[in-house]
Amino acid sequence: MVMFLFLVLALAVVVAAVTLAVVGGGDKSPLPEAGPERLVDHLPPDRPLSRADVDGLRFPLAARGYRMADVDDALGRLGAELAERDARIADLESALAGARAAAAHLSMDKPAPHHGDERP
């Protein structure tokens, strides 16, 4: 029985020493403070996104998957750029349709040259 109590006491001392060595120590502790892992924004702010930018996007892992705020920010940015591109495409298609209509109207108003009126 005395041997059992000695082993339990020795185990408690070892666990306490290891715990103090890892957790304690102030500024000289073996485990430095780790800041939260954050998304390093690889999405360029000065130009539109490309397929390579989206393919290279990696989110840091959190306790239960990905950080929702980082994913929401990236998806919000992608959604805004896609909406801007869709609006620009619609404007360009509208301008192209207007230019084609104007060209068709001009070609109908212009009289066709008569072959008999031309002088050699």
Side-chain angles (χ1 to χ4, degrees):
M1 181 73 165
V2 174
M3 186 64 148
F4 177 73
L5 291 176
F6 175 74
L7 288 176
V8 170
L9 183 63
L11 180 63
V13 169
V14 169
V15 168
V18 170
T19 302
L20 287 176
V22 172
V23 176
D27 293 336
K28 298 180 182 182
S29 67
L31 297 177
E33 282 294 320
E37 188 177 354
R38 301 296 299 168
L39 174 68
V40 178
D41 190 12
H42 295 288
L43 301 177
D46 56 341
R47 65 175 172 78
L49 296 176
S50 67
R51 176 66 189 240
D53 295 327
V54 176
D55 288 342
L57 186 61
R58 297 293 177 261
F59 296 101
L61 293 177
R64 293 181 292 160
Y66 295 104
R67 292 182 176 275
M68 290 175 63
D70 291 338
V71 175
D72 290 344
D73 290 344
L75 290 177
R77 167 102 189 266
L78 289 171
E81 286 202 20
L82 288 175
E84 183 179 324
R85 287 181 187 179
D86 289 344
R88 178 75 175 140
I89 288 170
D91 289 344
L92 291 173
E93 286 176 344
S94 175
L96 179 62
R100 285 181 178 165
H105 182 69
L106 285 177
S107 67
M108 289 191 318
D109 288 346
K110 188 188 246 185
H114 297 297
H115 294 294
D117 293 343
E118 293 181 12
R119 296 183 185 178

